Amino acid sequence: MQHEFSLALRRVATPQTSLQAYCISMDGKSLQFRLLPAYNPRKLVSQMLEGPATTMTPVATTSAGAYVQTTFSTPTSQETNPASSDVKEKTIIISWPLWKVFVGGYLPVLLAILFKVFWTSIYANTKLIEPFIQLARPTGALAKDAFGNFYLSSNLTPDPVISLFKGRWLMFWTSIVYLIVGFLPPLASESLVRDTRYDCANPDPNHPNNPCWPRLSVDPTIIHLLQGLLSFVAVMTLTIMYMVTRSPTGITSDPSTIAFIVSMIHHPNVLEDFRRCSNEATDKDNIKFLGGKNYRLGNYVGSDGVARYGIIPGNPTSLLNDNTEMTYTSNEKKVGRTGIFKPFLDVTFVLFILGLLGVILAYYKDGGNDGFSRFFNSNSFGPRFFMSAMGTIISMNLKRLEREVQTLSPFHRLARAPSPAGPTILLRKYNVPFSAFVMLSAQSHIFSASMAFVGFLAEILVVVLAAIPYSPGEIFLELIVCTYISIGILSLMLLVLISLVFWRRQLPYLPRPPDTLGGVISYLCDSRMLYNFDGCTGFGNGKLRKQIARIGKEYTYGEYVGVDGQVRWMIEESTNSLSGEE
């Protein structure tokens, strides 16, 4: 005996949004899917049944997420007679499995994000070792080239521009590839589409924008563009690998740690050059003072007859004259010099996040037939690219702030209290957000770990932003989940950026940002801790850590009397430090 059920199509009243969703009610169960406001769901089912959608008999009902995968059968007019056993049925299958949801809406962007994270690490490591590549050349490098650029810096001038004018081709091509890879996710978001404009059997002439049931299709133009960019990236990756193998660095340990830099600066002439720099001088002042000098990595024999390896003068004529005095721009004490551009950039970044947050809320609430909604509902090139591009810009800016916080975290810890070497001078700089979050949390750098976690969420943000604009076959739950995730991540970003303001206020006074090789050396050149690192040159990461652990001293940052009797801002051993004011 067959049981007849009715299939009711009705508009769902959703107080959270004015976008329309429709519900298929059958056998006491409701399944929701998202449609454009102008789309007629009853006509869609009627077309599929090729007849009036009045009374139907369910054969089987399953659920694939929030998408409908249901088999229906429609009785003929004979079925109105219960006594009739000769019933002809027509089976219609409406199916949109979840794997198509994932492949069509998320997989291309996710793969592009993973590729970008991989290349971000390559870019950061290349930037880190580039000064040492210059110093490792037989002819050495000028101080302005080795000590003033790249390393851990976040220049306002784009790295490709700096490297192009300075002829640093390894850094130039790495920066170019990094920028290209950074914008692969927005292009990938438009590569695979849920197409409703193809040569289907029963197109709906009343709805030319969505005449057919959705299917997965590729955009040939975007695919060809991606193929060209990826081919260029592949060729340049091989070229960069070749350039790196042909460019020795002369280093055996992680150059991002303060301890490694200490182990490389013990030549008396190099130390004397930096000690002649003023305590209050800026990076530009130091580079102007030392810029014409030549330095290199090499071996030398000290006054005690012991052979050492480290940063040495490039040639004897490059030594500073004993009567050379430094002139520098006056600097008001205890006032951090962050310049005007970085705060302006940070404020612009906050406004950018607020603007994107407003766009998401406006689209979520606006269901009218205005230009704004028509653009995001157009199911054409533009909406997904726009949203994922906004996410990519946010991700790249957060990476800049994350790198800054990691660079300053050891100084933040050292200025608060004497601290062991592990979480301070041995702290490494991490390039992958998730690993950075785990390692920094383990070393109790809570705020730095928070920045890394937000950086990890920024990569997820790019994926979910691309899924917000309307796409045929998109379930209504996708809109809800992706919208709320995006709002949550952006709100958390704003909270962390506000916390960054207060965290910066707790930083010690730093006359120079310690994000260049010269900047770091300037805080170490007059410290007594140099004596304990004598002989550590050439140690690997593990051996260097064991040696410092064997020393067992704590370190601090502040204004102390150096080995030459001058008061300087420096990292010093806590047991031998003397306040410059005492």
Side-chain angles (χ1 to χ4, degrees):
M1 179 177 179
Q2 293 191 359
H3 299 275
E4 297 180 1
F5 297 85
S6 62
L7 181 79
L9 289 163
R10 59 185 176 85
R11 178 174 177 176
V12 177
T14 54
Q16 298 88 353
T17 177
S18 57
L19 286 173
Q20 293 190 18
Y22 290 90
C23 182
I24 299 179
S25 299
M26 183 175 59
D27 200 15
K29 296 181 179 179
S30 297
L31 300 170
Q32 240 180 50
F33 59 97
R34 183 181 171 203
L35 294 169
L36 281 173
Y39 214 102
N40 188 337
R42 183 180 296 277
K43 187 163 185 176
L44 172 65
V45 177
S46 299
Q47 283 182 334
M48 291 188 170
L49 296 173
E50 296 181 355
T54 53
T55 305
M56 304 180 187
T57 303
V59 174
T61 302
T62 60
S63 177
Y67 279 105
V68 182
Q69 184 177 331
T70 307
T71 303
F72 301 101
S73 64
T74 51
T76 64
S77 58
Q78 293 179 343
E79 192 173 348
T80 57
N81 184 2
S84 174
S85 60
D86 186 14
V87 179
K88 295 182 180 180
E89 297 181 347
K90 181 174 181 178
T91 302
I92 301 296
I93 300 177
I94 305 175
S95 176
W96 189 252
L98 286 180
W99 71 266
K100 289 187 178 181
V101 177
F102 176 73
V103 171
Y106 303 94
L107 183 60
V109 183
L110 182 60
L111 292 177
I113 289 294
L114 294 176
F115 190 56
K116 182 171 77 74
V117 170
F118 169 75
W119 248 99
T120 299
S121 180
I122 294 178
Y123 167 73
N125 286 326
T126 303
K127 191 173 181 179
L128 187 65
I129 66 173
E130 208 278 340
F132 297 96
I133 292 177
Q134 298 295 318
L135 292 170
R137 295 187 305 177
T139 57
L142 295 177
K144 62 182 180 180
D145 294 328
F147 296 149
N149 298 114
F150 308 123
Y151 193 56
L152 298 170
S153 61
S154 300
N155 300 299
L156 294 175
T157 306
D159 287 335
V161 176
I162 297 176
S163 53
L164 177 63
F165 281 100
K166 289 182 174 291
R168 315 278 270 273
W169 301 114
L170 174 61
M171 197 66 234
F172 173 74
W173 289 117
T174 305
S175 302
I176 292 295
V177 175
Y178 172 68
L179 291 176
I180 292 174
V181 171
F183 278 90
L184 287 181
L187 291 173
S189 68
E190 298 282 4
S191 62
L192 195 60
V193 297
R194 286 171 269 198
D195 186 20
T196 58
R197 304 173 188 176
Y198 59 94
D199 189 17
C200 57
N202 298 301
D204 185 358
N206 296 323
H207 300 91
N209 290 330
N210 297 283
C212 304
W213 184 252
R215 71 172 185 180
L216 290 179
S217 300
V218 297
D219 187 323
T221 303
I222 300 299
I223 291 297
H224 292 157
L225 180 58
L226 286 172
Q227 288 173 339
L229 292 176
L230 289 173
S231 298
F232 174 78
V233 170
V235 171
M236 291 312 305
T237 300
L238 295 176
T239 304
I240 291 169
M241 291 174 60
Y242 174 76
M243 294 174 70
V244 170
T245 58
R246 301 276 294 181
S247 306
T249 63
I251 57 178
T252 58
S253 185
D254 187 348
S256 69
T257 65
I258 297 174
F260 171 79
I261 304 301
V262 178
S263 70
M264 296 293 286
I265 52 168
H266 35 68
H267 193 285
N269 295 115
V270 175
L271 294 176
E272 183 63 25
D273 287 346
F274 277 91
R275 288 169 184 170
R276 291 184 183 182
C277 295
S278 171
N279 186 39
E280 297 293 324
T282 66
D283 255 341
K284 290 183 178 180
D285 295 330
N286 285 349
I287 294 304
K288 183 178 179 180
F289 182 63
L290 300 172
K293 283 183 55 62
N294 186 277
Y295 298 91
R296 64 185 179 90
L297 291 175
N299 296 291
Y300 71 99
V301 178
S303 58
D304 55 359
V306 177
R308 294 178 175 86
Y309 175 81
I311 300 176
I312 63 176
N315 52 69
T317 59
S318 68
L319 297 177
L320 290 174
N321 187 286
D322 289 340
N323 297 323
T324 303
E325 293 186 3
M326 180 179 188
T327 58
Y328 62 94
T329 307
S330 62
N331 182 33
E332 187 177 351
K333 210 173 184 180
K334 309 295 182 185
V335 179
R337 186 192 290 107
T338 59
I340 190 173
F341 293 106
K342 282 193 175 181
F344 174 77
L345 192 62
D346 293 342
V347 171
T348 303
F349 184 41
V350 171
L351 295 177
F352 186 87
I353 293 177
L354 289 172
L356 181 59
L357 194 60
V359 169
I360 295 172
L361 290 172
Y363 179 57
Y364 183 61
K365 302 294 289 184
D366 183 15
N369 191 27
D370 51 70
F372 179 80
S373 293
R374 286 197 301 270
F375 171 72
F376 282 101
N377 291 336
S378 61
N379 189 32
S380 59
F381 180 86
R384 288 179 292 277
F385 180 86
F386 171 80
M387 296 297 280
S388 52
M390 297 301 101
T392 299
I393 293 173
I394 289 175
S395 174
M396 297 178 76
N397 272 278
L398 275 174
K399 190 64 184 177
R400 171 183 64 86
L401 295 175
E402 178 191 345
R403 184 165 53 245
E404 176 191 337
V405 171
Q406 284 196 46
T407 302
L408 297 176
S409 288
F411 291 85
H412 185 271
R413 176 73 62 86
L414 290 167
R416 292 168 58 190
S419 303
T424 53
I425 65 172
L426 284 173
L427 183 67
R428 301 177 61 185
K429 310 305 182 292
Y430 302 95
N431 301 317
V432 179
F434 186 75
S435 63
F437 168 71
V438 174
M439 299 304 296
L440 292 170
S441 297
Q443 299 182 70
S444 300
H445 285 282
I446 303 303
F447 186 76
S448 187
S450 301
M451 287 295 301
F453 180 69
V454 172
F456 171 71
L457 292 180
E459 307 296 351
I460 298 177
L461 179 68
V462 179
V463 179
V464 296
L465 282 176
I468 290 179
Y470 167 76
S471 178
E474 181 185 18
I475 58 176
F476 188 68
L477 185 62
E478 275 188 88
L479 172 68
I480 300 297
V481 171
C482 291
T483 298
Y484 281 122
I485 288 178
S486 300
I487 293 174
I489 292 177
L490 290 172
S491 301
L492 182 59
M493 287 178 180
L494 291 173
L495 182 62
V496 171
L497 290 176
I498 293 173
S499 302
L500 178 61
V501 175
F502 294 97
W503 185 83
R504 282 174 172 165
R505 292 176 66 89
Q506 296 177 357
L507 284 172
Y509 172 67
L510 293 164
R512 298 159 297 280
D515 57 1
T516 62
L517 191 55
V520 176
I521 293 176
S522 69
Y523 292 116
L524 303 170
C525 63
D526 212 14
S527 173
R528 292 171 177 81
M529 67 185 292
L530 293 171
Y531 300 126
N532 290 323
F533 285 77
D534 194 11
C536 292
T537 305
F539 287 6
N541 289 325
K543 191 174 181 180
L544 182 60
R545 287 179 176 274
K546 289 180 180 179
Q547 176 64 20
I548 296 175
R550 190 177 297 113
I551 295 172
K553 292 191 175 182
E554 293 186 332
Y555 304 90
T556 184
Y557 172 80
E559 198 172 24
Y560 303 111
V561 177
V563 295
D564 62 351
Q566 300 296 317
V567 177
R568 296 181 184 277
W569 292 98
M570 69 177 82
I571 298 175
E572 182 62 285
E573 293 178 358
S574 63
T575 55
N576 297 325
S577 59
L578 294 173
S579 172
E581 299 177 356
E582 291 182 354

